[in-house]
Amino acid sequence: MTKISVLLLCLFFFSASGLVNGSSKHQKIGVFELKKGDLSLKVTNWGATILSLILPDKNGKLGDVILGYKSIKDYTNGTTYFGATVGRVANRIGGAQFTLNGVHYKLVANEGNNTLHGGTRGFNDVLWKVESYKRNAKNPSITFSYHSFDGEEGFPGDLIVTVSYILSGKNHLAIVMKAKALNKATPVNLANHAYWNLGGQNSGNILDEVVQIFGSKITVVDSKLIPTGKFASVKGTPYDFLKPQVVGSRINKLASTKGYDINYVLDSEKKIKLAAIVKDHKSGRVLELYTNAPGLQSYTGNYLSNLKGKGGYVYQSHAGLCLESQAFPDSVNHPNFPSTIVTPQKPYKHLMLFKFSTY
């Protein structure tokens, strides 16, 4: 990562601008494009969602490396979270409940008895306001905002959230997520739910891609994928990606979940650290993910089945790889996990930098 890229990201990351009150009641669903060099990004204010990311392969041929629906209407009815911003709390909350400052909160359960990705109507399923759109800037960017009201899906307090997409450096995509609690303490854990396929969204599955994850432990989960509060070493297990491994080499050992769906505890204590590297041999594309988050949820699209996507291509199981930097799942119910509580005095900041190259 170049010094210039770090400086630009820090300016976006630590800037207090963009956290403004207001919703998107008077706005319509739109599609917005950012371009820089060979990189082309399309996003929508529905769910602050990535629609496509086009970049070259080793031969210079452009291809879309993000799975998605064929139309915007499908995003408003979708259940896969393709490319979306998920929250107020990404991942799972056990029993759809928690206690904070002596008050017990009951949330909307949308995965059995648990809450997944914010509930029935999470941040992926609302219209965001376009705060700024700088398509002709040296580093093109767009910022969306959303006002989550007190009691939405059971969560306490009013929350102002912004998500910025920035193209910087050479083939770099930064995502900066911020949140400010207006009146009450509340848990916040935002994530981007892009399904990556470096061979191209219409190239088949990701089982031949090579992945390295810089996390030597996972958060142990029960049969419903709710953390028990314990940690386990990845060594000697199918979850060990400390050295580069082919995704499909041991995936058949995870029959209960039909593939990977687990949170890694990232090892580095640096503010912005390298979390994962993905390589696709056929296209020669490489993805490096840097983040300030403590965890990384790895999910291999285990339950995709006959889903019609972009260009009429039909997605099947393992068609995409999700690498969601975030806080640990169910942190609000595990005092030994890093806190996800945001207060008016303690805002939320989450950075992702995706650095693309070829070899």
Side-chain angles (χ1 to χ4, degrees):
M1 193 162 51
T2 66
K3 290 183 179 180
I4 294 175
S5 293
V6 173
L7 178 61
L8 287 169
L9 290 172
C10 286
L11 287 173
F12 267 96
F13 187 50
F14 292 107
S15 169
S17 65
L19 290 175
V20 298
N21 201 342
S23 64
S24 48
K25 291 181 181 179
H26 303 296
Q27 297 200 28
K28 296 180 180 181
I29 299 176
V31 175
F32 309 89
E33 186 172 26
L34 302 176
K35 288 185 176 182
K36 184 178 175 69
D38 291 326
L39 202 67
S40 177
L41 175 75
K42 285 186 178 179
V43 294
T44 176
N45 54 333
W46 181 262
T49 296
I50 298 177
L51 300 175
S52 66
L53 183 67
I54 297 173
L55 67 159
D57 65 9
K58 61 184 178 182
N59 298 313
K61 183 179 179 181
L62 297 176
D64 186 356
V65 297
I66 298 268
L67 272 60
Y69 294 110
K70 60 181 179 178
S71 70
I72 290 293
K73 183 179 179 181
D74 290 329
Y75 283 90
T76 65
N77 298 317
T79 59
T80 61
Y81 305 97
F82 277 153
T85 297
V86 291
R88 179 180 301 196
V89 175
N91 219 309
R92 295 170 174 88
I93 296 180
Q97 59 187 324
F98 64 91
T99 299
L100 178 59
N101 295 333
V103 180
H104 184 75
Y105 295 96
K106 185 64 178 175
L107 308 175
V108 175
N110 63 322
E111 188 186 58
N113 295 322
N114 307 311
T115 297
L116 174 67
H117 294 328
T120 302
R121 186 176 177 267
F123 289 177
N124 63 290
D125 208 21
V126 296
L127 191 62
W128 293 58
K129 182 179 180 180
V130 180
E131 288 293 340
S132 69
Y133 182 29
K134 301 175 181 178
R135 62 184 305 179
N136 295 318
K138 182 179 179 181
N139 296 291
S141 67
I142 188 166
T143 297
F144 301 114
S145 71
Y146 177 67
H147 182 169
S148 179
F149 59 86
D150 184 13
E152 186 171 22
E153 298 297 296
F155 289 100
D158 289 279
L159 189 75
I160 299 297
V161 187
T162 64
V163 175
S164 298
Y165 294 100
I166 310 120
L167 301 186
S168 65
K170 183 179 180 181
N171 293 341
H172 293 181
L173 166 64
I175 305 175
V176 179
M177 298 177 169
K178 299 180 184 180
K180 183 176 178 60
L182 298 184
N183 40 38
K184 294 180 183 178
T186 184
V188 177
N189 180 25
L190 307 179
N192 178 268
H193 209 294
Y195 287 70
W196 301 95
N197 188 321
L198 296 185
Q201 64 91 20
N202 58 353
S203 66
N205 62 53
I206 45 83
L207 297 181
D208 289 332
E209 292 191 353
V210 176
V211 172
Q212 186 173 13
I213 297 175
F214 297 91
S216 56
K217 294 180 181 179
I218 57 171
T219 47
V220 179
V221 294
D222 63 18
S223 61
K224 302 298 183 181
L225 301 181
I226 303 299
T228 64
K230 296 181 179 180
F231 303 95
S233 171
V234 300
K235 292 185 178 179
T237 76
Y239 297 109
D240 188 352
F241 285 89
L242 289 169
K243 293 182 179 179
Q245 301 285 343
V246 175
V247 173
S249 61
R250 298 162 297 174
I251 201 168
N252 60 352
K253 296 182 180 180
L254 303 172
S256 62
T257 52
K258 298 185 178 181
Y260 292 94
D261 193 359
I262 197 71
N263 172 66
Y264 286 84
V265 179
L266 297 176
D267 292 330
S268 176
E269 295 183 0
K270 292 181 179 180
K271 275 190 175 180
I272 300 175
K273 50 193 169 285
L274 180 59
I277 301 174
V278 184
K279 294 183 178 181
D280 181 78
H281 288 311
K282 289 183 179 180
S283 68
R285 293 190 181 100
V286 179
L287 177 160
E288 298 175 50
L289 169 59
Y290 296 82
T291 185
N292 69 321
L296 180 75
Q297 186 81 14
S298 177
Y299 175 59
T300 47
N302 307 327
Y303 296 98
L304 296 176
S305 179
N306 297 320
L307 196 158
K308 187 172 288 188
K310 290 182 280 190
Y313 189 79
V314 179
Y315 303 132
Q316 304 293 354
S317 181
H318 309 139
L321 171 66
C322 300
L323 294 171
E324 307 159 60
S325 63
Q326 57 183 267
F328 301 168
D330 200 30
S331 289
V332 74
N333 288 312
H334 298 283
N336 61 319
F337 286 2
S339 176
T340 55
I341 303 304
V342 171
T343 69
Q345 296 76 34
K346 183 184 176 184
Y348 171 92
K349 298 174 181 177
H350 179 192
L351 167 70
M352 291 150 273
L353 173 64
F354 297 92
K355 182 179 178 182
F356 301 97
S357 59
T358 57
Y359 70 103

